[in-house]
Amino acid sequence: MNSDQPQPRWQRRKDARPAEITEAALALFIQKGYAATKLDEVAKAAGVTKGTLYLYFASKEDLFKAAVRDAWGPSLQLAEEMVADTQQSAAQLLETLILRWVEKLENSPVNGLSKLAIGEAGNFPEIAQFYLQEVVDRSRRIYSQVIERGIQQGEFRAVDIGFTVSEIISPIIMQTLWQQAFGPYRKNLFDLPAFARFHLDMLLAALRPTTAADIKP
């Protein structure tokens, strides 16, 4: 047998299997919804047996949580490290974070997670609560730190930090939800990166101090 031929998925090393399973699960959760996704389907898509899947994940809820952590965890950790260590100005940091966020939304399956969490919240409050804590609240803390730093340094005017973070996040989430719901019925694709840059320009203009009274003492 030619050793250069690619190995079947189920023969890959064991430490790669959890990531392959969560990747397959994420795609199915987004495509079919949490309730409609069956673990048999996930196992088949990942190229493992259902018994192998249960070696790593005790339930569908555990699998969903792991899929969300794998999808968002590394990016959120990187953002937290950037905020803690960066020498960038608050405005530069805000730009970096927003544009990287949008790039991830454009180029990975996570684009559908917000719609999934919102759509399933009524029937599965436990996964909605998990998504809030693991992704939404963590993201809000990151942006809150950036805005607070900008205010303290006199780079941003004194504003309500909670409202400002909502103003940063909500328009982009709304545009992604709108595109997922109505994009298939429109002729022209929505340019999310262009919208993000426009949104960022408006944010920075609104945050910029214009008088001495705007600067926190």
Side-chain angles (χ1 to χ4, degrees), residues 26 30 64 68 71-72 109-118 131:
L26 181 65
I30 290 172
F64 175 82
V68 170
W72 274 117
V110 299
N111 197 3
L113 271 176
S114 294
K115 182 182 178 183
L116 170 66
I118 292 169
Y131 190 78

Side-chain angles (χ1 to χ4, degrees), residues 78-97 140-162 164-165 168 204 207 209 214-217:
L78 177 60
E80 288 164 347
E81 291 171 354
M82 287 177 59
V83 172
D85 301 333
T86 188
Q87 299 302 312
Q88 291 182 315
S89 68
Q92 290 171 329
L93 186 54
L94 186 61
E95 177 179 3
T96 299
L97 291 172
R140 290 185 65 89
R141 285 194 296 271
I142 291 168
Y143 284 111
S144 294
Q145 291 169 9
V146 176
I147 300 303
E148 184 174 8
R149 180 184 301 177
I151 294 171
Q152 294 294 338
Q153 295 176 347
E155 189 178 348
F156 296 156
R157 65 188 180 92
V159 292
D160 183 286
I161 293 176
T164 303
V165 171
I168 291 169
L204 293 177
L207 288 168
D214 291 333
I215 301 176
K216 184 176 180 179

